Amino acid sequence: MRTFHVLPLLAAVVTVFAGPAIAVENNNQAKAATKVSMRSESAQPHFKPTGKPVSAARGEAIFLDHCALCHGIRGKGDGPRSAYFVQGGQYIPDMTVAQVLAGRDKELIENIREGLNRLPEPSYVMPAFKYILSDEEIRSVLAYVKTFPSQSRKK
């Protein structure tokens, strides 16, 4: 009869002491699996290119949807998320200054496509948009961003 009372008590003690260790191990395995899958070269974009031509007008809508939270509506680097950036480690350039954009098309397209990872995870400066936007959409965003310096001169 005593055996029946001891078994549940023993099971509870084992659960209390082994449970957290098992949970930590499972969590570490899940993190490792996520890192591998996030950095996998075999990951492919999930969108289908539309075949629409590159245009600044189309780029404006995409910029407002995906970029303005950090870069600000006018590209000055004053979006709502910029308040959470680490001083000295993360910054958002003012894209209304012509020198920031001049002659850097290839580099800017690569930055949009691959994102910017200047700090260790999870402090990404800019996410990779290659899984969200097609090449034509990325080029449309760049076409729109290149209008910022001329817009700031008009004002």
Side-chain angles (χ1 to χ4, degrees):
M1 189 85 164
R2 285 182 171 237
T3 323
F4 293 111
H5 296 295
V6 174
L7 287 177
L9 180 61
L10 182 60
V13 169
V14 168
T15 303
V16 167
F17 288 109
I22 293 170
V24 168
E25 185 179 319
N26 289 341
N27 192 17
N28 289 340
Q29 288 173 351
K31 282 183 182 178
T34 302
K35 273 189 179 179
V36 168
S37 65
M38 287 176 64
R39 294 286 179 200
S40 174
E41 293 301 319
S42 64
Q44 295 294 316
H46 64 276
F47 61 85
K48 292 185 180 175
T50 62
K52 293 181 182 176
V54 172
S55 74
R58 216 168 133 223
E60 180 179 14
I62 297 165
F63 181 89
L64 292 174
D65 282 346
H66 297 286
C67 312
L69 280 172
C70 293
H71 290 282
I73 294 174
R74 305 276 180 248
K76 292 187 174 285
D78 59 353
R81 284 192 188 157
S82 66
Y84 298 100
F85 276 46
V86 176
Q87 293 295 323
Q90 297 171 307
Y91 77 97
I92 303 173
D94 183 350
M95 293 184 291
T96 63
V97 177
Q99 292 81 5
V100 171
L101 303 174
R104 296 181 57 212
D105 288 5
K106 187 175 179 180
E107 180 184 354
L108 293 170
I109 286 173
E110 188 68 16
N111 289 348
I112 296 168
R113 183 178 291 122
E114 299 299 326
L116 297 172
N117 185 9
R118 294 187 182 137
L119 299 174
E121 288 183 20
S123 298
Y124 288 100
V125 176
M126 186 168 125
F129 285 97
K130 65 183 175 185
Y131 302 111
I132 301 168
L133 303 174
S134 66
D135 281 341
E136 61 203 16
E137 290 171 322
I138 290 172
R139 292 183 187 284
S140 292
V141 168
L142 181 61
Y144 174 65
V145 165
K146 289 173 77 172
T147 67
F148 287 155
S150 61
Q151 289 175 6
S152 69
R153 273 186 262 135
K154 289 178 185 177
K155 293 179 183 182

